[in-house]
Amino acid sequence: MLVAAAVCPSPPLLVPDVAAGAAPELDGARHACADVLGVLAASRPEVLFVVGAAGPGERPGTHAPGTPGSFEGFGVASHVRLGVPDGPAPEGRLPVALAVGAWLLERANWSQAPVEGLAVDTGLAAARCVETGRELAARARRVALLVMGDGSARRTLKAPGYLDERAAPFDAAAARALAAADTAALAGLDESRARELQVAGRAPWQVLAGAAEDAGLTGQLLYEDAPYGVGYFVAAWS
């Protein structure tokens, strides 16, 4: 059963070494992420799943505890691991969104529960995302999720996807759902609209919706902004 969830943005720029001189611009997001990880720790989970989107060229699927990741693709010799391996260190490589999640956990000195990863195909249908969330919630008596995902990448003229006037309303609806722990609203986010608006968080958020649908959690939105023209949100459900 899901006992807590944290929602964080997934850009590599959260990692100060990657952001370099621009690092202070996301200090507010980093502080909020630290706060929501505290909520996860306080929930005393038996297992923590880090859920994020598989980006272009990345493989959707599960990642075992201890799977390595890096930010070498961004010119930084920074390496992370997804928690502690429960045997020999696994092979493979974390998708970027999960590597950012692993970095957040290392920064928080996470040791409360084993950590596993799930990279979700950005095109996965909403119904399948919800079912995947239900399956994760059923894995143990006390399950926590760290959900990595961004809003629209079309919020401003300088955004990666350029400006789309529909982006801000879409992100506002997502923010309301995250703030209220509204699983029905998250599950109902329009898949085609999300794809057009380059919303990387749609599928991971809908996995959360499935995991939390019968958990009776309440939500709190700690951070909402669109630096670089991309919607970033930090929320805690407990």
Side-chain angles (χ1 to χ4, degrees), residues 85-133:
D86 54 10
E91 298 180 356
R93 182 71 62 180
L94 293 173
V96 172
L98 298 190
V100 176
W103 177 83
L104 288 173
L105 291 171
E106 288 188 357
R107 183 170 179 256
N109 297 313
W110 178 268
S111 61
Q112 285 74 13
V115 183
E116 299 181 32
L118 174 64
V120 186
D121 190 322
T122 56
L124 191 66
R128 184 66 190 117
C129 290
V130 169
E131 182 57 33
T132 298

Side-chain angles (χ1 to χ4, degrees), residues 1 9 16-17 27 41 106 109 145 162 193-194 216:
M1 178 178 179
D17 287 349
D27 278 347
E106 288 188 357
N109 297 313
L145 297 186
Y162 197 68
R193 180 66 56 86

Side-chain angles (χ1 to χ4, degrees), residues 109-208:
N109 297 313
W110 178 268
S111 61
Q112 285 74 13
V115 183
E116 299 181 32
L118 174 64
V120 186
D121 190 322
T122 56
L124 191 66
R128 184 66 190 117
C129 290
V130 169
E131 182 57 33
T132 298
R134 293 175 183 144
E135 293 167 358
L136 292 182
R139 288 278 300 275
R141 289 183 303 114
R142 301 186 65 82
V143 173
L145 297 186
L146 172 55
V147 182
M148 309 297 298
D150 306 338
S152 175
R154 306 192 66 178
R155 290 281 294 272
T156 67
L157 293 173
K158 294 184 178 181
Y162 197 68
L163 176 65
D164 190 311
E165 299 293 345
R166 303 170 298 171
F170 186 100
D171 279 1
R176 288 193 297 270
L178 293 172
D182 188 337
T183 59
L186 277 186
L189 290 175
D190 188 280
E191 299 170 50
S192 61
R193 180 66 56 86
R195 182 170 56 253
E196 293 166 1
L197 296 177
Q198 300 179 14
V199 179
R202 190 275 304 173
W205 296 339
Q206 290 180 328
V207 171
L208 168 60

